[in-house]
Every structure is written in structure tokens, then in C-alpha cells.
Amino acid sequence: MRTHYCGDLNDSHDGQEVVLCGWVQRRRDHGGVIFIDLRDREGLVQVVFDPDRAEVFSRAEQVRSEYVLRIQGRVRPRPEGTVNPDLPTGMVEVLGLELEILNASETPPIQLDTHSADASEEIRLRYRYLDLRRPEMQARLRVRSQVTQAMRTFLDGQGFLDIETPILTKSTPEGARDYLVPSRTHPGEFFALPQSPQLFKQLLMMSGMDRYYQIARCFRDEDLRADRQPEFTQLDIEVSFMSEDELMGLMEEMIRALFQEVSGVELPNSFPRLSYAESMRRFGSDRPDLRVPLELIDVADLMDEVDFKVFAGPAKDPEGRVVALRLPKGSELTRKEIDGYTQFVGIYGAKGLAYIKVNEWSAKGREGLQSPILKFLPDSAVQGIMERTGAEDGDLVFFGADKATVVNESIGALRVKLGQDLNLMEEGWRPLWVVDFPMFEHDPNSNRWVALHHPFTAPKEEQLDTLEQDPGACLSRAYDMVLNGTEIGGGSIRIHREAVQRRVFKLLNISDEQAEDRFGFLLKALKFGCPPHGGIAFGLDRLVMLMTGATSIRDVMAFPKTQTAACLLTDAPSAVDENQLKELALRIRPRA
Amino acid sequence: MRTHYCGDLNDSHDGQEVVLCGWVQRRRDHGGVIFIDLRDREGLVQVVFDPDRAEVFSRAEQVRSEYVLRIQGRVRPRPEGTVNPDLPTGMVEVLGLELEILNASETPPIQLDTHSADASEEIRLRYRYLDLRRPEMQARLRVRSQVTQAMRTFLDGQGFLDIETPILTKSTPEGARDYLVPSRTHPGEFFALPQSPQLFKQLLMMSGMDRYYQIARCFRDEDLRADRQPEFTQLDIEVSFMSEDELMGLMEEMIRALFQEVSGVELPNSFPRLSYAESMRRFGSDRPDLRVPLELIDVADLMDEVDFKVFAGPAKDPEGRVVALRLPKGSELTRKEIDGYTQFVGIYGAKGLAYIKVNEWSAKGREGLQSPILKFLPDSAVQGIMERTGAEDGDLVFFGADKATVVNESIGALRVKLGQDLNLMEEGWRPLWVVDFPMFEHDPNSNRWVALHHPFTAPKEEQLDTLEQDPGACLSRAYDMVLNGTEIGGGSIRIHREAVQRRVFKLLNISDEQAEDRFGFLLKALKFGCPPHGGIAFGLDRLVMLMTGATSIRDVMAFPKTQTAACLLTDAPSAVDENQLKELALRIRPRA
């Protein structure tokens, strides 16, 4: 129906007759002539209709925004002075010779030209087909498609097989709530939508598939905080007979190829590796944003004897932590800004935000410092802080003192916020691996050990014998890939021996009966020659969000849902017939 | 952990030290030496353990079938006389120098060497991870992975974007029953799993995406006759501003590229096109297997006056049909074989199977024919039949006479069965397009018109004005791709005008209220500049089944379900906690 995309025209087409199909971005009448900006996936081009050609001109007069047109015309250079350097097609225009209105449009509730203000997200989701016409949204979905194709091409070249695993499956217990699907043929029973293909990919390794991948849809029925979606997509990978070093190297190669191919960006040749312990110590986080040149510095040993309970308490508590965070040139912060940061750390449970302004330490020593807490600190403590942080005149030092979890979360978040607010961030991409995670975390509520990753993660070989003696000290063979403060991938070497899997279940307080009921098929499969294996999963939505600079994962999905897990476009979920419920042996429970 | 795959070794590796990982296919002790056939994804290789190396030999003695081993060894030529030409690695063996048992195995319930008998399907599904170790199953999943990658590469090269559409969505009414997913955040309401991404891909065209594809999971909660699965996969495609001819041409190119790349097969350069009417007339089917060189020949006009109600009735009935099917050399069929075919057509509702054996027509005319029905047929009818079928001495002519639907189904099926039984099938691949389908079929039960494809299929442009006058005569812009008797793809140009969509809904007896409730979002979207568009979907499972020569789609899926939609491996579906039901505001209905 067409010869060219609108956005592909340039002066090499001068004089050619072309046929274009697209949408009316804008119609202007100027000096007796009609100008139509015609838009398709590749871009815009200006089409001109002269009143000389009366029939086609009068048809052009009927045209409104978002009408769908088929236009035959001749490409010509724009008259001098009307070239538009901002538009890739801006040196040419098309003289309209024929015009067919393929479809009309009502006035759209979203303005699609670049000058208009943004519509509300509700309108954008309800009229998603209009929102997606915006070049910005088109570009994001295009990047997404390029990313998955680049992943597939890389993995295909490495001998990976793309294998589909079921969507209608058994509950996989990974912490979150399952979406359930009632079975009609087995009344009263339910399938679950997978939270990930975890157990199936392990079964594929037991099936001898050796190298598996899948761009897999996953489902979690969680309350949608912040930026989550009930269904999301991951690049799911599993391999046999490969060490974590080999797998991590291969994955680095893949991510490098991806960035190179899709964004033309060169990532570092080898990603640094940080242990979980070091990452928490230096950044208060297991997904540190390395672009921020600030670090947490432990000062508890300087504080345990001071006469200031806010510091001395956590300093003496084995579960406490006291840190300093030096902010170069931070003494320029106003009282109001510091109050703002105090509120900010409060979100993470910090009860306050102590600080010292370093005005003239070099010349005046202690007298050159300014702080409400200074009076509590003996000289030795002040001296120690200044030495350890390396603070200089003009700097500011923040303090966090509380349970270690509170300090890590609050000062870790403050670190990133300061980086953003004060423009301290390095440019570009700073990937890393975080490794040596603990196997177990102690949950104080239930007084139980819980898996930091999932119950199929293998412990370090050298700790196998002593697993039960000190579960809290046991490290796992897990690894997370972190990029600019976002965890983009996580995985581990898995348990491949039945006895070890049973011991880990037991440590997690899963009884033999529960294990049999929920994981009986896995335990059985482990008896029949399971190879050593491991894998990783990358969050596709989040990765594409990073690569496109989008601020929400909803902006990199074609048809996302709202925070209450509804689709405003199709109006799902919705009521169903009594008959359908009967077939499924279900009844709606009256509200309590 | 390894240097080579087992199956990749050959005499170019002579003398090399290699490290292999894999499963024990077989252990034999012969002449004081231990032979282990080690298997991985790429194949088998023989490893030899000499009693000279006592430590490794004694470890090799512990090894049983399906143990997982890591072996270090040296490749060497096999001794003269022991070369195995049936094995790709058969000219070499590996002298085992080190052996590590990575995992043990209980005796597997499925024998994995090629000499053993096939296990029952129940055992195969329950121990799927063992069944999938068989080279045959591995090869099928590998072809499947190659097929999808070849599709993606082709479409990527043509500017198609891979876009994901939701799995949690609104009921799409395509005839089958939906799987429902209760919403927790909207109690009493349900999502449906998509029967196809049909409406979303149309919305993507309205979003200006221009060329879309997706390897999409689809769901139908049907009673699983024959070879269906509750979840299946299709290659889903939609384009804007393209005529059916262009799209069909592009899809031919894709399928050709696929067969070329994956199977090394050259499909014809241009697929023949048959109208639905012609296909039904000549083959009794809209998915004819063109490898069978037999055709249905209409003879009603010869029969309408004969004194034989079985023929004369259908011949005079406007809904009847009378056909002849000539079987060359068919007079060799025994009475018993003919009885068998009579039973066979009975499955499709035929009340009998008349026939004429052509013994010596050339010399003896009517006397040279042999048939129980001959006495009813006047000379003119006999003459007409013989001329029209071109039957020769030694042939046999079958007859079908009944309602056209019964004749088409029964004699159409007989045609294929004769082709298979008597080895009449041409070799190779015979693709074609079936086009010019009716828009509507009349459903005698409800006395309503129903859509032959789906309600979004566009009618032929030239029939747009007369849609309501004779719906039964209206043809659609639909097309099916058929390969060797299987419909592998089906699609259509869609309705892109709101008014036409409303008229079609009305003809299908969908009230305005129903239309608003179920398709309101589509009707609304059609108001805002919907481009002309169309698409197609290919059944991936069936296509891979054809390409691999598998006899069931369960053999080309990693984890299929049984005929009662259960997973024997994981034991899904299963009961859930009362708590989970409460959260979903559901109650199990007691059995009536």
C-alpha cells in the first residue's frame, strides 16, 4: 500500500513519486496552502497541498488530527528558509497529488504533538493505543524488542536452547502470593501461575538440556508498591556443568554485547565483584550505585565510650552500627536542606541525622567544627572521625547510629540521594557483581531462618559439613548483577544433591511432609542423576527501563496494569457468569 | 568443568587430553576392562578403564546407569575391528585417566538405551526429566528452539517488533472456554487467560506499531480431544497498511526460510491458492493434503433421476452432495478391506460406502463393472460416472451421498486414509493457501449466523454494501496456510471501521449491550484512526510436530499435560489453603 515510510524520506528521494500511509500529526493552513505533518513508525514528513489541485485540496481540507491517510506525492526540496533542521526529513517535503482518507478520527483525548503537556497516567492507560503512538513510547518498545533479540542471538550462538515451560503449573513457593487458576476438570483444585520457571529450569538440567534460556512471563499477586506489575518478564537462564565464574563471565559478555548492539555503549571489560559483606559495609546496600563517590565509614569503635547514648548504644550493640558519611563541600548545605535529609532518612526508620560541619579544621581544629553533637564527643573521637573520613575544610560529615539494618537502609539511601541532588553522579554505566551472600537470614518475627535467595540455592562447598552449626555464617553460591543501583539479574549455583536439599529444607523449618507435598517431584528427580547446575534471571522490564531512561516500568510495557492490578483499557478484571463459576465448582464468598 | 561435549569427539582429537561431563548410558565389563558409554546433549562416546589404573578403575566399578560423571581422559583410535560406524564418535574412544562421580542415580524407571522398549506415556510424563534425556526428545526440542529463532530472525530482518501482550486479561470470546484467574484486589472479579492475543495485536496496530510479532502462549479450557493441550504456543503476527497478497507473500517467504534453515528443505517458490469452495469441492476439506492424488468428483447431476433413493435424495437436496472418488488399481481391494473403509466413513456419519469395481470396462462396458448398486444405475449415469472420473480397468470408484457436510467429512477423510494405506502419498511438502472463506456459517441449532473465523475478520470490500442481504454468500478476507493436510496458520484482514464492526456484531446476534460490555474498548479504539490491518497466527506446536515427524504435540513440548489437563510430574492442579481462597473471596462449591 505504500512505497516508503514517512520518516525515511530525505533529499536522496528528490523528484521521486512516493506513496505514504500514516496519521495526521498536525494540519496547518498557511497562505492558502495546506500543510499536513504525516506520521508513521519511522517519523514525520511534511506534505503540501496546493489549491491548484482542487479535488485533492478539498479532500485535504476535511482532514483532522489522527486521521489515517494514504498519500501519493512527489518529494521535493523545501523552499529556502523553510528547512527544519530538527526533523530528520526536514530538508524535503512531499507535494500531495492524491489523498485517500483510510479512516477518520474523533478528537483524541491525548495530544500527540510534542508541544502539548503530558496527559494524566489514567488517560494514558485508558487510551493506551493513543499513548503508544507517541514517538517516545514507540522508541521504548523498539528498544525492548531489540534487547530481547540481541539476548536471543547471543545465547543462540552459545548453544543455548529456548525452551518453553508451563504457565499453568503448581504453586512455586518463592515468598510471594501465587495467582491461582481453578481447574474445571479437577473441581476444587487449582493451578498456579509461575512466579518464575525456577523448578522447571532445574528439571530441564536434569533432563540433560545443558543450556536453557527463555524470555519468561512471571506472576506475583503482591500489593503493588512503587513500581511493580502483577506480570513481568525475565530472561531466564540455566546451565549444567559450569562454575559460577564461567557463568558470570558469560553473562557479562552477554550484557556487554547487548549494550554495544542496542545502545552503542561499551561496558567495562570485566565487572568488579564485591562481597555482600563489603557492599553492605561500604554502601549500606547489596545493590550499590557505584556512580556515587560517597562511602559509609564505620566509627563504632570511636564511639563506644562516649557520653552520648545515641551513638554509644548502637556502638556497643552487636546488632548495631555507627557510620560516618563524608560529603565533600557539604558545609554549603543550608539548615533547611539538612532538615530535609533528616526527614528523608526518617522514611527508613532513622530517628535523626547527626552531622558535623567542617568549617576550618585545618587552621582551628575542633574550634573549626560546627555541630549540635560536638559537645558529646571527646577529642579522641573527633580526631578519629576526621582522620578516618579524611574530611577537609568545607566538607560535612553525616552520622548514622542505630540497628545495623536501619543504618544501612537510611544512610545507604541518603548516600544515593545526595549523589543525585548534588550532581555527584559519575556519567555512564557502573555494573558490578555482588557475591558471597549469606545462605540464611534470621527472621525475628517467626524466630526462623529464611532463605536470602531461595531454598534451592547451594551453600559454599567448604561449608557443606557445618551448615547446621552456624546457619547465619553460611555463605551461598549466589550472585547478583547490579547496574547503577538496580539489581538487574540474580542467580546461583543450585543444590544438586538430594541429601543437601533435604538438610536445607529442614533448616528452613520445612517439615518432611511439607517438603514432600510441595517439592516431592524435585526431591525425587534429584535421585536420578542430577547434574551440577546453576543459572540466573534478568528482569527484562527493569533492564529496558534503565536502557531507555524511562522512570517507570509501565513505560516499557505495551499494556501495563494499574497499582490495583487492573487494566484500564480493557476493564479487566471483570465479573463472570454464574454458569462459569458453576463449571469451576466455585462460589463468590459474600463480603464479611 | 569440561573441555568437549562427548558427542563432538572424532579422530581429529586423537591423542588429546579431554575432560567430559555426562551421564552413564551403559557400563559393560568385558575382558577385564570397563567400558562406559558417556552421554551428553551432543551424543555418546565410549570411555575405557584399564585395570592397570587401579584407583580410577575401582571408581568406574561403582558406576551405574544414569550416574553423572566427570571424566578426564585421552582420545585414541578404537582398535581395529571395534570401530562403530553407527555412532558419530564411533572411530574413537577415550582412555579414562580420572573419574569423578558428580552424582549417583537410582535405577531409572525408563530405560534410555535405544534397544529398550518404549515406556508407557504415563511413566514418560511422570518422569519427564528422564524421558527428555532420550536423544529423540532432545532433538525435537532442539528443532523447536531453532524454529522459533529462525522465525524471529526473519521477522526481525523485516522490521517486525516483538511486543509482549498481557496474560492476565479480559475474556476474549473466540468460541472456547476461558481459563479464569480470580482477582484478590477486586473481589468477585476475574481475569481470563488469553485464547490468543487477537484484540491486543489489533490495538497495537491502532498504536502505530506497524509490524508486530510475538511467540505467544495461548490458553483454552476445552475438553482435550485427541491432540490438544490447555496451553499452546503460536507465532502471532499483525501488520498495518498491507494487502493480503503482500502479507501472504511475506509469510510464504518466512516459512520457506524456516524449512531451508532448520530442515534443509526447499519448499515451492510460490504456494498455490485454492478457494474454500474449490477445496471443499475437490477434497472435501478446507485443509487438503495435496500429497494424496485423489479427488472428489461431483456426480449429483447424473443421479437426480435414478431410481435409488440413497443417491437421488441427496442429489435433489440443495444441502446434499453426491461424489465419486476414483481409486486407481482399487479393484484389488478385498471385501474385508472395503468393509473396513465402510466402517471408517461411518465415524464421520456416513450411512454406507457404495462402490463400483472396474474390472473390464474397456472391453466389456457395463458388463465389466461389478457393484451391488449397479442395478440401480441407468446406462447414462454409468457412462457419465466413468467418463467424469476417468476410471480405467483395475480401478475402483467409491461414492458418497448425503448432506454435503457428511459427504465432505467422510469422503474427504477416506481420501486421505486411502492415500496413507495404499502408499499413494507423494514425498515431501505440499503447502498451499486456502482463501475466500465464507464470512458466516449458519448454525442450525441456534438458528444463527456464526463467524467462520472470528468476529473481527473483514468481509470482501465488494460485498460490504450487501452484507445483510445474504450473509451466507458473503466471503471474508481470511486465509489459511495448509501443509500436508494440517492447517499450520490462519489469519485475515481485520475490520478497521467501527460501523462495519458494529454491523458484523449485529449479524452475529451480539446485541449493542453485549458488544459494549465485551468489546467496548475495541469499538472505542476504532473511532480514533484505526489503520487498515491484518495478520496471521501459526500454531507452533503443530508446525514443529510436522517438521520433526512426531505423532503427538506432547512430544514437542517439554512439560505437557494429560488429556484431563493435569501435570503428572508436578501433580498440578492441586488443593489450596482455605486461607488462599478467603483472600480471593471464593468458596469451593460442594458437589451436587
Side-chain angles (χ1 to χ4, degrees), chain B residues 302-316:
Chain B
L302 303 173
M303 301 298 193
D304 53 355
E305 298 300 329
V306 303
D307 191 18
F308 181 43
K309 270 221 307 239
V310 172
F311 281 6
K316 282 186 276 200

Side-chain angles (χ1 to χ4, degrees), chain B residues 446-515:
Chain B
S446 62
N447 194 27
R448 285 178 183 180
W449 293 104
V450 295
L452 193 79
H453 279 79
H454 55 54
F456 319 109
T457 304
K460 296 262 181 202
E461 284 287 315
E462 60 273 23
Q463 291 178 313
L464 255 184
D465 296 334
T466 56
L467 216 51
E468 288 81 0
Q469 288 165 26
D470 185 1
C474 183
L475 300 183
S476 75
R477 298 175 71 182
Y479 32 81
D480 281 0
M481 190 188 281
V482 176
L483 183 59
N484 290 7
T486 298
E487 181 209 319
I488 58 168
S492 63
I493 300 298
R494 325 298 184 185
I495 296 169
H496 73 283
R497 290 202 181 88
E498 189 204 354
V500 178
Q501 187 64 73
R502 286 193 186 273
R503 286 167 61 200
V504 168
F505 282 156
K506 189 162 264 173
L507 270 165
L508 293 171
N509 228 11
I510 298 173
S511 73
D512 280 356
E513 291 72 37
Q514 286 171 324

